[in-house]
Amino acid sequence: MTNTTGKMFKVTSFGTSHGKALGAVIDGCPANLELNEEDIQKELDKRKPGTSALTTSRKEKDRVEILSGVFEGKTDGTPICGIVYNTNQKSKDYSEIKNTPRPGHGDYCWIEKYENYNYNGGGRGSGRVTIGHVIGGAIAKKLLTEYGIKVISHVVQIGDIMAHSTDITKLEENINKNPVRCGDLEAAKAMEELILSKKQEGDSIGGIVETIAIGVPAGLGEPVFGKLDADLAKILMGIGSVKGVEIGFGFDVATSSASEINDEFYYDDNNEVETKTNSSGGILGGMSNSMPIISRIAVKPTPSISKIQDTINMKKHENTTIEIKGRHDPCICPRITAVAESATAIVLTDHMIQSGFIHPNNINK
């Protein structure tokens, strides 16, 4: 089972939804980055459960503890281990589904592949394991900030409701004003109503999350294997419930002509190279071109719903039905924004080190 991502900045995730704890080990973070638990906590707070009516009612403080890798307030170049202890598990909610795989979940695949499957909360396959993503991403974001790079994720669509006015200068301010984490405050109200209506029906709804990375220098990524957009697509697609990834115009390029979407170059007033448009989403030929890197992920509805669904009983080898109990999000999108930010930051940090923009041993060099 693969639990590590990255070449030089590596994040290894560990733990299960209903186990003792979850966390991550980050290897390859250079020394002398100022880092404390609050740097990580503020990112974890974006994805923790029980923060609004739009999320699962499971109450977890998700307080992080740094076990290693920091000395006198700074990273020392050794592996950083961050851990979060589970405190509000209700494993009995899952005992009835031990032999009946839930539709839309990976239960059946886990049983077929590993046989010994921790079905409590989905075990290692639970969305709760993204705590490891966020711990690694928080450190990556702190490191990127040192080099003038900012990463922001926001919800741009829930069901058929789309955000329209998303002023980049007010984006971060606006997404903190509503539980949907949408930059369009009017659309956010309609999105919230839709999510709550699905919750009332015992159902769930999907959506689209966009991530923007600003301040990325030109030259990250490789032209053949190791393309920056390929690595971003891989880590974003690896987030649970993500079923599609776009960079820039994405699938809209299929219905466009080159004259419409080619990003034309020019020198700005500071003699810096810019492009008139950003159809490519900040990546050309597998490499960053210094424009904002824009990606979008399609997030499916939470598969755990209270409606009765058809399934099988693998022990009795017969068809049956299932009614899923427990505490689940009626929409994953608001909480997945923190994970998308983290995943993007991890890849950008890895490539910043690979390309020589960040010294692998010491940020002061």
Side-chain angles (χ1 to χ4, degrees):
M1 186 183 297
T2 302
N3 296 290
T4 301
T5 187
K7 291 184 178 179
M8 298 189 74
F9 184 87
K10 298 181 180 180
V11 178
T12 300
S13 168
F14 64 85
T16 60
S17 176
H18 286 220
K20 186 174 182 178
L22 307 99
V25 175
I26 295 83
D27 202 3
C29 180
N32 288 307
L33 172 70
E34 291 187 4
L35 185 70
N36 57 45
E37 289 171 348
E38 187 53 38
D39 293 323
I40 300 173
Q41 192 61 52
K42 67 181 181 180
E43 300 300 325
L44 284 171
D45 286 347
K46 296 177 184 177
R47 72 148 304 283
K48 74 178 181 181
T51 56
S52 77
L54 306 186
T55 70
T56 170
S57 60
R58 178 174 177 174
K59 295 290 185 180
E60 293 279 6
K61 293 183 179 180
D62 285 351
R63 297 301 304 179
V64 68
E65 181 180 350
I66 296 177
L67 302 183
S68 63
V70 177
F71 179 69
E72 295 184 341
K74 295 182 180 180
T75 58
D76 59 9
T78 65
I80 304 166
C81 181
I83 191 169
V84 169
Y85 291 96
N86 289 320
T87 61
N88 192 223
Q89 313 96 304
K90 291 186 178 179
S91 297
K92 63 181 179 61
D93 289 338
Y94 296 89
S95 58
E96 296 178 2
I97 65 168
K98 180 179 180 180
N99 300 304
T100 52
R102 297 165 295 174
H105 280 277
D107 301 341
Y108 172 75
C109 304
W110 277 81
I111 293 168
E112 285 294 297
K113 184 176 179 70
Y114 297 107
E115 188 176 332
N116 186 17
Y117 171 49
N118 181 352
Y119 53 84
N120 292 314
R124 185 77 181 131
S126 168
R128 189 156 172 75
V129 304
T130 57
I131 281 176
H133 291 63
V134 177
I135 291 173
I139 296 168
K141 286 181 70 175
K142 184 72 184 290
L143 188 54
L144 291 175
T145 300
E146 297 287 314
Y147 297 85
I149 299 172
K150 190 175 188 63
V151 183
I152 307 171
S153 292
H154 61 125
V155 174
V156 296
Q157 185 171 340
I158 298 293
D160 59 359
I161 301 172
M162 300 176 64
H164 295 288
S165 57
T166 52
D167 183 350
I168 188 68
T169 62
K170 296 182 179 180
L171 184 57
E172 193 166 23
E173 176 186 344
N174 284 348
I175 63 177
N176 289 323
K177 289 181 177 179
N178 65 89
V180 185
R181 297 192 67 78
C182 175
D184 182 339
L185 297 181
E186 286 302 313
K189 294 177 183 177
M191 291 175 179
E192 184 174 356
E193 290 175 1
L194 177 59
I195 295 170
L196 291 176
S197 70
K198 291 296 180 181
K199 181 180 181 180
Q200 188 68 28
E201 296 168 8
D203 212 338
S204 62
I205 189 72
I208 296 175
V209 170
E210 180 178 80
T211 302
I212 305 170
I214 304 167
V216 180
L220 299 193
E222 301 293 334
V224 185
F225 300 116
K227 289 176 182 282
L228 180 59
D229 44 0
D231 284 352
L232 281 172
K234 181 178 180 181
I235 198 169
L236 290 170
M237 196 72 181
I239 300 171
S241 292
V242 173
K243 302 303 288 185
V245 178
E246 287 187 329
I247 307 292
F249 261 35
F251 278 86
D252 285 342
V253 301
T255 57
S256 305
S257 59
S259 59
E260 293 174 310
I261 66 168
N262 281 352
D263 298 319
E264 297 177 320
F265 295 99
Y266 72 98
Y267 284 107
D268 66 12
D269 294 338
N270 297 317
N271 209 34
E272 298 288 337
V273 176
E274 300 278 354
T275 58
K276 295 180 180 179
T277 54
N278 192 23
S279 303
S280 64
I283 301 174
L284 287 169
M287 297 166 283
S288 59
N289 66 359
S290 79
M291 295 295 286
I293 294 175
I294 302 173
S295 65
R296 282 174 297 280
I297 54 176
V299 184
K300 74 178 186 180
T302 315
S304 290
I305 56 177
S306 58
K307 290 179 178 289
I308 296 175
Q309 302 174 83
D310 291 329
T311 187
I312 56 174
N313 187 308
M314 299 183 69
K315 185 175 183 179
K316 297 180 180 180
H317 297 278
E318 64 182 20
N319 296 323
T320 186
T321 59
I322 187 171
E323 184 177 359
I324 300 172
K325 300 177 182 178
R327 302 160 295 176
H328 309 285
D329 295 80
C331 181
I332 307 172
C333 293
R335 294 174 64 203
I336 215 171
T337 55
V339 186
E341 278 185 13
S342 293
T344 300
I346 288 168
V347 168
L348 292 178
T349 299
D350 194 21
H351 276 275
M352 285 283 286
I353 297 173
Q354 289 182 53
S355 298
F357 289 97
I358 298 177
H359 195 284
N361 300 326
N362 185 346
I363 65 170
N364 291 336
K365 291 186 178 181

